[in-house]
Amino acid sequence: MKKILIINASKRKNGNSYALEQYFAEKLAGKAEITAFRIGEKAVNPCLACDACKKQHTPNCIQRDDFTALIPQIDSCDALLILAPVHWDQFPAQLKAFLDRTYSFMDFTQSDFSMAGRKDKKIAGYFFAGFGPVDIYTQMVDTNLKNFAIAGFRTEKAHVAGNANVPGSIMEKPDDLKAADEMAAWLLD
Ligand SMILES: Cc1cc2nc3c(=O)[nH]c(=O)nc-3n(C[C@H](O)[C@H](O)[C@H](O)COP(=O)(O)O)c2cc1C
């Protein structure tokens, strides 16, 4: 059974990321082993850029927080699914800190700069925006997802649902739910 790690990067517990976390969990039930990591309930410190992680050749970090504890799962899962709002045209701050911490997978002695144990993993980003522009936000998400290649995520898929300011309104958007169904199938494939 595939191991899928869901990163929920919203603070709104009644919001769209939480609604789709449940939706994806139902779609993937019995087909994948799901772990949800809700960043809003976790401690993910900024990267110290101390380069202590460059003195080794397996992913690790000298900080002792919830990101460091998650490293083995990030390294061994089959796929990562990020559910998150767009904040000021970008990744929300805690998710950006999460991305920065994947520096602990970077190894300058490797030809592909990665010390990830697995380099065949998939990453999907399903984002929500109050307004848009959805096409530009999709590009922004895609560009950021490509940075996860250092942690071994080498194929990516992005979707942004616009006009989603109202908490839970995603459940009334058939086209966006269809995109979620397609993303779930892609993650399982
Ligand atoms: C600090 C902050 C910044 C935001 N910036 C944007 C933005 O730049 N563009 C946009 O379309 N929506 C923006 N929004 C709206 C959220 O993206 C939108 O409400 C989203 O559906 C929230 O997802 P959630 O319910 O999963 O938390 C912002 C919301 C907050 C709180």
Side-chain angles (χ1 to χ4, degrees):
M1 204 179 274
K2 291 240 155 97
K3 287 188 181 147
I4 300 179
L5 182 55
I6 298 181
I7 309 298
N8 180 335
S10 172
K11 288 289 223 181
R12 294 205 301 180
K13 292 206 168 162
N14 62 343
N16 294 306
S17 300
Y18 273 82
L20 270 211
E21 184 194 314
Q22 196 180 334
Y23 186 82
F24 272 105
E26 284 164 14
K27 290 275 160 194
L28 298 170
K31 298 176 191 144
E33 198 182 304
I34 307 289
T35 307
F37 183 88
R38 302 181 184 117
I39 291 188
E41 299 170 1
K42 302 286 185 185
V44 177
N45 300 329
C47 174
L48 298 174
C50 66
D51 276 1
C53 55
K54 306 296 166 268
K55 298 188 177 71
Q56 65 206 10
H57 299 289
T58 51
N60 205 350
C61 179
I62 57 162
Q63 299 196 62
R64 290 289 160 256
D65 66 356
D66 294 320
F67 181 87
T68 304
L70 194 67
I71 287 176
Q73 257 180 291
I74 297 172
D75 202 22
S76 64
C77 70
D78 292 288
L80 197 69
L81 167 63
I82 299 174
L83 302 170
V86 172
H87 279 178
W88 301 123
D89 301 342
Q90 302 162 40
F91 265 22
Q94 280 173 289
L95 181 59
K96 180 56 167 55
F98 185 100
L99 168 59
D100 288 355
R101 292 288 296 284
T102 63
Y103 185 65
S104 53
F105 285 78
M106 194 162 200
D107 182 348
F108 299 117
T109 71
Q110 302 294 317
S111 57
D112 64 355
F113 300 112
S114 171
M115 62 176 111
R118 286 189 60 183
K119 299 178 180 178
D120 60 342
K121 298 170 286 185
K122 290 181 173 179
I123 184 162
Y126 195 113
F127 280 63
F128 303 92
F131 311 98
V134 162
D135 54 340
I136 289 173
Y137 289 166
T138 306
Q139 251 176 31
M140 175 280 288
V141 172
D142 203 52
T143 300
N144 278 292
L145 293 184
K146 283 186 167 58
N147 287 319
F148 284 88
I150 290 295
F153 297 91
R154 300 289 162 94
T155 43
E156 72 280 341
K157 207 176 186 52
H159 179 78
V160 179
N163 194 24
N165 240 339
V166 178
S169 56
I170 189 65
M171 300 314 293
E172 287 143 35
K173 297 178 189 302
D175 289 351
D176 290 310
L177 290 179
K178 187 163 170 267
D181 294 345
E182 285 166 8
M183 194 174 267
W186 180 77
L187 287 166
L188 288 171
D189 189 29

